[in-house]
Amino acid sequence: MKWYDKIAAFLHWEMEEAPGNYGWFHIMMLAVIISLTVIFCVYGKNCTDKTFRRIILYYWIYNIISELYVALIYSFELEGGVGVWDYEWYMFPFQFCSSPAYTLPFIAFLKDGRVRDAFISFTGTFSLFAGIAVMLYPNDVFVRCLGIDIQTMIHHGMQVVLGVFVMVHERRRLTHSFFFKGIPVFAGLVLIAMGLNIGVYHLFSELGMDDTFNMYYISPYFDCTLPILSLIYPLIPYPAFLVMYILGFSLIAALMYYVQRAIILKVTGIAPHILRGNYERPLYHERLSGRRC
């Protein structure tokens, strides 16, 4: 066995059985993520924009590394002491929960403006919901490989941490219109996913490959396996399913936004009428007090 096969085999170490929903491993990871969310919000709510950007950047770097780890694990099999490499295309990192890999750089590097606001709004709503959904019902992502289980809990858990954190940090801009800024990002990602689904399906057909490629689980060629939606998919025409998918996720993201908004304004005592949708810094009351945000 070659050296890189030995490394892959070590990273591929498996348990006797996969963790279950609300077993000790799941509950432990939930506690860790809740604790991190509280810590980020309490100690980072007034951090400077420079620090805020660094937090986003550091997690993005970790996110890319973890995605490479997942690709490595799902590309390697040990057969008779020999490493076999074959990429599992259904694991291609362009699912809803992979969106931070593509959206966070816009928050970390763009100047303040409408485009950056759109990605902040998306992170605190659509991406947050994707993380919460998996953290509450992770059964489909749990496998026997301990490394993958740890990675997936951190990956989805940090979507929750960052989703709440960005909303708390930007709490004085949570106007009604701020939510709608994230919708174009969601629509753009769905459009890219659809283009990939159609293009890759026909490419694989030409190459004689039968791999499943179903980004965002909206491919017209493969069944949707998401909870609830998997039951609806075979019952209605595909165009109706796609519309329901887009509207459903948008409504849930809106719920995420307004629940957070109500809690944040209540806890911080910010009156809704003083919220502002622009992106000027520093904030008015902080110019008067001399505090840094």
Side-chain angles (χ1 to χ4, degrees):
M1 186 186 301
K2 298 180 180 179
W3 64 269
Y4 47 81
D5 289 340
K6 294 180 179 179
I7 294 175
F10 172 77
L11 295 175
H12 209 285
W13 183 81
E14 294 185 348
M15 301 176 288
E16 292 184 1
E17 60 180 17
N21 286 351
Y22 297 97
W24 70 267
F25 178 76
H26 183 199
I27 292 175
M28 178 185 70
M29 294 307 300
L30 282 174
V32 169
I33 294 306
I34 292 172
S35 300
L36 283 176
T37 302
V38 172
I39 291 171
F40 269 68
C41 292
V42 170
Y43 294 100
K45 64 180 183 294
N46 292 320
C47 68
T48 64
D49 186 58
K50 182 177 180 180
T51 300
F52 177 69
R53 290 172 182 270
R54 283 181 175 175
I55 291 172
I56 299 297
L57 175 60
Y58 293 156
Y59 173 68
W60 177 69
I61 293 172
Y62 161 78
N63 187 271
I64 295 299
I65 294 172
S66 69
E67 289 286 5
L68 292 174
Y69 165 72
V70 172
L72 171 67
I73 294 300
Y74 280 96
S75 299
F76 177 83
E77 289 290 341
L78 192 62
E79 298 181 1
V82 178
V84 178
W85 296 85
D86 182 23
Y87 186 67
E88 299 287 354
W89 283 99
Y90 73 89
M91 291 299 301
F92 187 78
F94 200 87
Q95 297 290 6
F96 210 159
C97 292
S98 302
S99 58
Y102 308 96
T103 59
L104 293 184
F106 291 93
I107 301 176
F109 297 116
L110 282 184
K111 293 182 179 180
D112 282 328
R114 291 181 178 84
V115 176
R116 184 171 184 251
D117 280 354
F119 286 95
I120 292 174
S121 176
F122 174 85
T123 300
T125 53
F126 291 93
S127 184
L128 171 64
F129 167 65
I132 289 177
V134 174
M135 290 302 296
L136 293 181
Y137 187 77
N139 196 59
D140 291 342
V141 299
F142 279 148
V143 294
R144 291 175 57 197
C145 180
L146 179 60
I148 289 294
D149 292 331
I150 294 174
Q151 184 276 339
T152 196
M153 285 289 97
I154 294 176
H155 177 91
H156 295 96
M158 285 304 298
Q159 284 185 257
V160 177
V161 174
L162 290 183
V164 176
F165 172 60
V166 297
M167 291 290 100
V168 171
H169 187 267
E170 303 299 312
R171 60 194 177 278
R172 293 188 177 274
R173 295 194 288 134
L174 301 184
T175 61
H176 293 295
S177 63
F178 194 77
F179 162 72
F180 293 97
K181 294 179 180 182
I183 293 179
V185 177
F186 172 64
L189 291 171
V190 169
L191 185 62
I192 293 171
M194 180 59 73
L196 287 172
N197 287 333
I198 295 173
V200 172
Y201 175 81
H202 288 289
L203 175 63
F204 283 1
S205 296
E206 290 291 329
L207 297 175
M209 299 170 58
D210 60 356
D211 296 62
T212 298
F213 191 90
N214 192 2
M215 302 300 101
Y216 277 53
Y217 300 100
I218 56 172
S219 172
Y221 309 110
F222 301 100
D223 292 342
C224 176
T225 58
L226 295 175
I228 301 177
L229 289 175
S230 62
L231 302 176
I232 299 174
Y233 184 87
L235 302 178
I236 61 177
Y238 176 75
F241 166 80
L242 188 59
V243 171
M244 181 179 293
Y245 178 99
I246 294 172
L247 291 179
F249 273 99
S250 298
L251 289 174
I252 295 174
L255 177 63
M256 294 286 103
Y257 180 77
Y258 282 103
V259 168
Q260 287 185 93
R261 182 179 184 270
I263 295 174
I264 291 171
L265 297 188
K266 180 68 174 179
V267 171
T268 59
I270 299 174
H273 70 273
I274 70 170
L275 295 175
R276 23 187 270 168
N278 59 31
Y279 39 84
E280 297 174 9
R281 299 176 189 274
L283 299 175
Y284 177 71
H285 83 290
E286 289 166 337
R287 288 202 299 270
L288 295 179
S289 65
R291 291 192 296 110
R292 298 181 66 195
C293 175

